[in-house]
Amino acid sequence: MSVTNLLDNWAEVRHFHPIDDKPHDPYKWAMSIDLDACIGCNACAVACYAENNLPVVGREKFQHGQVMHWMRIERYWNEDDREFPDQGAEFLPMMCQQCEAAPCETVCPVGATNHTQDGLNSQIYNRCIGSRYCSANCPYKVRYFNWYDYPTTDNVWPAEMNYQLNPDVTVRGKGVMEKCTFCVQRLRAAEVTAKGEGRIVREGEVQTACQQSCPTNAISFGNLVDPESRVYKQWKAQQVDLAKDEQEKDKQEGGSDLRGYRILEDLRTYPSVMYLERVRESAV
Amino acid sequence: MHRYLRFPAMLACFLMAVTCHAATDQPLTTEDALGPQIQQPIEFPHYRHAGNRNPVDPTNSDPTKGGMEINCQYCHTYARRSLTAGIPPLQKCIGCHQNIPTVRDKPRIVELFKYWDAKKAIPWKKVHDLPDFVRFNHERHIKRFIEQQGRPVQEVCGYCHGQVKEMTTARRQKPITMGWCRSCHMKDHVVVVANKDGIPEGGTPLGKQDYWYTFQKPAEKRNAAGELTAKGPNDCWLCHK
C-alpha cells in the first residue's frame, strides 16, 4: 500500500456509470419486469427470503418498519371509476435498482457500498458500520437495516428452517445495512465457471431467485452487453438506454406508446431495472 | 515544546510515517502470522506424502529416505473445481494404505485404521480458517496459475499455504488477511501476450480482450520496460457476499 496506490484505487472505486473509455464489458447485469404479467402473487419475495437468508420478523416488527424484504410488492390502486374498485389493484415489484450512479454509494462514510465492474451496487456487510446514510439517500427506499442480531434475539428461522439457510450468503449481524444483490452469489458462481472455460456467461445460464420463481415470467434478467440476451432485446425494443437520464422516445411530442420506463429516471441514478408499464383497460 | 511548534512537528511525524509506510511493498510475514499450532487427531506427515524425493539420490523412491511427491490435488481434489480445497475422505487414505503393508504397523497408520474399522471420519481441525464472511475461491486460482500458466502445483499452493511439503500437520505460514491478499491483487502483473495455448495472461482471455474484471485495460498501463501490465480483480463482492 502506497499513497499512489491509495489515490489510484480511490479513483477507481468512485468510478460511476459507464462512459466511453470504460464501458461495461463483458458484463452488465440488468433486469426488466413486465408489470402487465405481474399478478402480485409474492412468489418472488418468498424466493428472495429463501435464497438470501432474510429473517422473518413477524407482524409487530413489520409495523415498526423493521421488515427485511429485499424484494417487496408495492400495491397501488387505480380505480378508474370501476364498479368494483378492487379490480384496480396494480402491483410493482420493488428491489434495489442497482443504479449506475447510485446515491447510496457516494455517501457511505466507509466505502461499504461500491460499484462493481459488472454493474452491480455492492454491499459489503463486514465493512458497514451502520451509519444508515445510504438508506437515507436512497430514492427507492430499498435498503434495510438490521436492528436486531438475528437469529439470537428472535426466532426468525424456527426449528428446521435453519437447515434451509443458504451457505453461500452471509447471515447478517446487527447494525449492518443490507439490500437486494441481484443474487450475486449465483452470478459469481456462473462467472467463475465461465471464466474457467474461457467464455462469458451464456444467456439463461444464471437466474435470480425472483426470476426463477415467477409463475408468469414477468421478470427477466441477464447481461445487457450480450445482444443475444432477452434483457438486451427488451431494453432495445423499448428504446430504453442505460446511460440516459431522459429517453429519446419520451422527448417526442405526446410521449411514446412503448411501455418501457425506469423509476425516477430523472434523478440521474441510471437504474438497471426497466419496468414495462401495465396495459390499462382504457388504453385497449 | 512551544505550542506553535506542535502542529508542524506532528505534521512532520505524519509525513515521515507515510513515507516509511509507502516504502514497504508487502505486509511482512512475522512469527505472529503463523497462527496457533493446531493439534490434529493424527499428526499427518505432509512431508512424507508431498515432500521431495531423496535429495541425495532423486531416483530413490524409498519413502523412508524422502517424500513421495504426491500432487496436492490428489487428496485436496476439490480445489480445482470449487471454492474450498477440501479434506480427503478416509476412504482416500485407506485406498492407498491398504496396499502398503510395509507401514501398516506404524503408530499413525494403526490409528488411521482404528477410525476405518470404527467407520468414523477423522475429526481434522481447520488450519486456514477464514471468517464466515470471506469466500475465497480456490478454483479460480488453480485455473489461472496451474492450468493456464502451467506453473508447478506445489509452488502455486505455496503462495498462500507455504512449504506444506516440509511440514507434518499444516500450520498457517502466511497472514491470510485481506491486506495480504490485496498486496498481490494490487500489483501490476506483466501481461504475457500469450501462454502455451495462445491465451493472453494478465486478465482473462475472452476474444481480443486482454483484461477482464479489472478497471484497467492493460493497454493503458505499461511498466518501465514498456510491457503491458494489469492488476488482479478489485471487487469486494468476489469474496464478501
Side-chain angles (χ1 to χ4, degrees):
Chain A
M1 173 67 92
S2 67
V3 176
T4 335
N5 259 338
L6 188 73
L7 295 176
D8 276 359
N9 290 342
W10 189 254
E12 283 172 15
V13 160
R14 294 302 185 197
H15 192 87
F16 39 95
H17 62 274
I19 48 178
D20 297 337
D21 66 323
K22 290 173 180 176
H24 281 301
D25 197 10
Y27 297 120
K28 162 63 201 169
W29 300 110
M31 198 176 257
S32 76
I33 301 181
D34 189 345
L35 298 182
D36 201 39
C38 178
I39 53 172
C41 68
N42 271 300
C44 49
V46 173
C48 185
Y49 268 80
E51 173 71 17
N52 292 303
N53 301 340
L54 302 184
V56 183
V57 298
R59 181 186 292 250
E60 193 184 328
K61 291 207 179 87
F62 193 109
Q63 285 167 344
H64 292 169
Q66 293 165 355
V67 63
M68 306 299 286
H69 50 199
W70 288 1
M71 177 84 168
R72 63 172 190 254
I73 304 290
E74 291 187 350
R75 195 178 57 177
Y76 298 98
W77 295 100
N78 177 21
E79 296 180 14
D80 277 351
D81 298 325
R82 288 162 196 273
E83 187 182 355
F84 303 105
D86 283 4
Q87 289 178 336
E90 292 184 0
F91 308 103
L92 184 136
M94 184 48 133
M95 83 304 272
C96 174
Q97 305 285 302
Q98 312 285 350
C99 309
E100 279 301 321
C104 52
E105 288 170 14
T106 46
V107 297
C108 179
V110 292
T113 179
N114 296 305
H115 220 65
T116 69
Q117 291 87 327
D118 45 359
L120 301 172
N121 170 235
S122 69
Q123 173 68 29
I124 310 302
Y125 309 122
N126 47 305
R127 188 147 206 178
C128 177
I129 55 167
S131 75
R132 292 177 282 138
Y133 203 165
C134 54
S135 176
N137 218 31
C138 174
Y140 306 99
K141 290 289 161 275
V142 287
R143 289 178 155 267
Y144 302 95
F145 187 68
N146 280 280
W147 292 97
Y148 301 94
D149 195 14
Y150 300 119
T152 51
T153 50
D154 206 349
N155 194 18
V156 287
W157 296 295
E160 284 157 31
M161 269 183 73
N162 49 345
Y163 290 118
Q164 67 91 45
L165 289 177
N166 187 349
D168 296 334
V169 180
T170 312
V171 173
R172 279 78 56 184
K174 181 176 177 173
V176 301
M177 194 57 80
E178 61 185 58
K179 63 159 194 85
C180 163
T181 63
F182 268 4
C183 289
V184 68
Q185 65 281 5
R186 296 181 178 200
L187 301 183
R188 291 292 182 256
E191 284 169 8
V192 163
T193 309
K195 195 175 177 185
E197 293 170 11
R199 57 176 176 86
I200 63 168
V201 175
R202 295 188 197 100
E203 165 69 0
E205 197 175 337
V206 60
Q207 286 186 310
T208 60
C210 50
Q211 176 197 18
Q212 194 177 10
S213 63
C214 181
T216 59
N217 283 334
I219 301 174
S220 49
F221 174 83
N223 183 4
L224 200 55
V225 178
D226 177 11
E228 294 303 310
S229 73
R230 189 175 168 211
V231 163
Y232 176 88
K233 287 173 185 161
Q234 280 176 315
W235 281 58
K236 198 83 181 163
Q238 299 295 333
Q239 297 174 19
V240 175
D241 188 347
L242 181 72
K244 291 218 170 89
D245 58 358
E246 190 186 359
Q247 305 300 333
E248 293 298 332
K249 62 171 183 174
D250 296 328
K251 286 180 187 165
Q252 54 186 295
E253 207 171 321
S256 164
D257 286 341
L258 294 170
R259 296 156 61 211
Y261 72 100
R262 293 187 297 174
I263 294 176
L264 300 180
E265 194 174 52
D266 51 332
L267 295 180
R268 309 190 73 194
T269 53
Y270 307 94
S272 307
V273 182
M274 179 186 75
Y275 289 88
L276 295 168
E277 194 182 350
R278 193 170 178 210
V279 180
R280 288 155 207 275
E281 277 173 39
S282 53
V284 178
Chain B
M1 193 186 289
H2 284 293
R3 192 177 297 157
Y4 57 85
L5 270 181
R6 204 173 285 160
F7 180 71
M10 270 163 60
L11 193 67
C13 285
F14 174 74
L15 286 177
M16 255 167 67
V18 167
T19 329
C20 292
H21 194 64
T24 44
D25 207 22
Q26 193 177 352
L28 294 173
T29 305
T30 62
E31 195 61 30
D32 289 343
L34 296 184
Q37 179 74 52
I38 293 172
Q39 285 295 320
Q40 300 284 3
I42 296 176
E43 202 194 2
F44 179 84
H46 274 102
Y47 67 88
R48 178 71 81 227
H49 293 82
N52 296 337
R53 289 179 194 273
N54 192 333
V56 184
D57 178 11
T59 54
N60 188 349
S61 60
D62 181 359
T64 57
K65 297 205 173 66
M68 303 290 294
E69 291 185 15
I70 299 172
N71 191 319
C72 309
Q73 295 183 80
Y74 180 72
C75 298
H76 300 285
T77 174
Y78 309 109
R80 62 179 174 271
R81 47 196 155 110
S82 79
L83 262 62
T84 52
I87 295 290
L90 186 51
Q91 284 92 323
K92 189 145 249 168
C93 311
I94 300 295
C96 288
H97 273 279
Q98 66 184 357
N99 298 319
I100 314 177
T102 47
V103 295
R104 191 65 179 268
D105 52 349
K106 296 280 160 67
R108 290 191 286 227
I109 307 299
V110 169
E111 187 75 5
L112 176 74
F113 274 88
K114 270 190 200 156
Y115 281 104
W116 176 247
D117 294 335
K119 295 194 158 93
K120 287 231 170 73
I122 305 174
W124 299 112
K125 302 238 172 51
K126 210 164 179 182
V127 175
H128 296 86
D129 194 8
L130 295 174
D132 287 350
F133 50 79
V134 185
R135 288 175 179 81
F136 172 81
N137 194 329
H138 277 89
E139 179 190 355
R140 204 45 237 141
H141 292 85
I142 301 260
K143 282 257 160 65
R144 179 187 154 87
F145 292 115
I146 298 177
E147 293 181 18
Q148 280 185 2
Q149 289 177 237
R151 298 192 196 175
V153 175
Q154 287 188 337
E155 178 196 314
V156 172
C157 299
Y159 294 156
C160 301
H161 295 292
Q163 293 285 55
V164 177
K165 65 179 175 186
E166 289 164 11
M167 301 179 209
T168 52
T169 46
R171 191 172 176 195
R172 213 172 68 208
Q173 296 291 302
K174 308 279 177 173
I176 321 276
T177 56
M178 191 176 89
W180 178 81
C181 296
R182 293 285 295 124
S183 71
C184 203
H185 278 240
M186 279 193 304
K187 276 187 195 145
D188 289 321
H189 297 280
V190 175
V191 177
V192 176
V193 174
N195 68 4
K196 60 183 162 58
D197 300 322
I199 295 169
E201 191 194 89
T204 295
L206 293 167
K208 283 186 218 151
Q209 194 179 301
D210 43 3
Y211 73 105
W212 196 73
Y213 246 83
T214 49
F215 278 119
Q216 276 177 324
K217 292 181 195 173
E220 292 169 356
K221 189 130 182 174
R222 284 172 187 275
N223 64 10
E227 295 161 312
L228 298 180
T229 60
K231 287 175 183 169
N234 176 28
D235 178 358
C236 313
W237 243 356
L238 277 182
C239 288
H240 307 296
K241 48 193 173 239

